[in-house]
Amino acid sequence: MTSREAAEQQVRALHAEEEREKALARELPPGDEQDRHWMRGERLSDEAWSIEERYDLEPWPSGLWPA
């Protein structure tokens, strides 16, 4: 497995965990616990973004720049 393939797997796992955290947060009433789960999801998203930038991965093209 190449480092790029490993990075792609890690990014997919981070985004999946991000979605689980945010889904859990949506089910909770407003408050500290909801905020903790939502912010954990945001940190996971930031970590995934960092890896995407490092390996020039773009799982969802933004459409902002011509291909």
Side-chain angles (χ1 to χ4, degrees):
M1 175 182 306
T2 67
S3 59
R4 182 180 174 88
E5 291 169 335
E8 289 172 342
Q9 280 186 339
Q10 187 175 9
V11 164
R12 281 193 298 275
L14 287 166
H15 281 304
E17 190 173 351
E18 169 199 358
E19 288 305 315
R20 285 191 296 271
E21 287 292 331
K22 288 183 175 182
L24 181 57
R26 286 184 203 97
E27 298 295 319
L28 294 170
D32 289 342
E33 188 176 2
Q34 181 190 48
D35 291 345
R36 277 193 299 275
H37 286 285
W38 189 266
M39 291 312 298
R40 175 157 166 67
E42 288 295 307
R43 285 190 299 276
L44 291 164
S45 177
D46 289 347
E47 186 177 345
W49 177 83
S50 175
I51 294 167
E52 289 167 358
E53 288 296 304
R54 189 174 335 139
Y55 288 92
D56 196 28
L57 306 176
E58 194 170 4
W60 303 282
S62 66
L64 296 176
W65 310 110

